[in-house]
Amino acid sequence: AGAALAARKARVPLIPAAIRGSYDVWPRDRSRPGPGRMAVRFFPPVEANAPGALEAVRESILGSVGDGSFGAVSASHGR
């Protein structure tokens, strides 16, 4: 909700983004990232003042889970 408030005040749209592979590259038990691949996908902008803006952002991101849109990250975790 903080990002939505900042976007409303700045009068800019929200840009939904999803990241895959970050845990494989930098797990919690390591102090630094290791080699591997990550993928970032950006979705169409959502007007921050629109009714249901946060839900639209959430649906964009969750809708990409399991849809094959992150083909750049292999099943072997990019290694």
Side-chain angles (χ1 to χ4, degrees):
L5 181 60
R8 285 181 188 134
K9 286 185 177 184
R11 296 184 178 148
V12 297
L14 295 163
I15 308 295
I19 303 170
R20 177 178 247 170
S22 59
Y23 185 81
D24 294 329
V25 173
W26 198 344
R28 291 181 187 167
D29 62 346
R30 291 205 307 217
S31 60
R32 296 184 180 197
R37 296 185 130 224
M38 292 177 31
V40 180
R41 181 175 178 194
F42 295 96
F43 299 92
V46 175
E47 290 301 322
N49 288 325
L54 289 179
E55 185 61 28
V57 168
R58 183 176 190 271
E59 287 177 12
S60 293
I61 295 168
L62 291 179
S64 72
V65 175
D67 74 353
S69 64
F70 287 108
V73 178
S74 71
S76 64
H77 306 291
R79 293 189 188 117

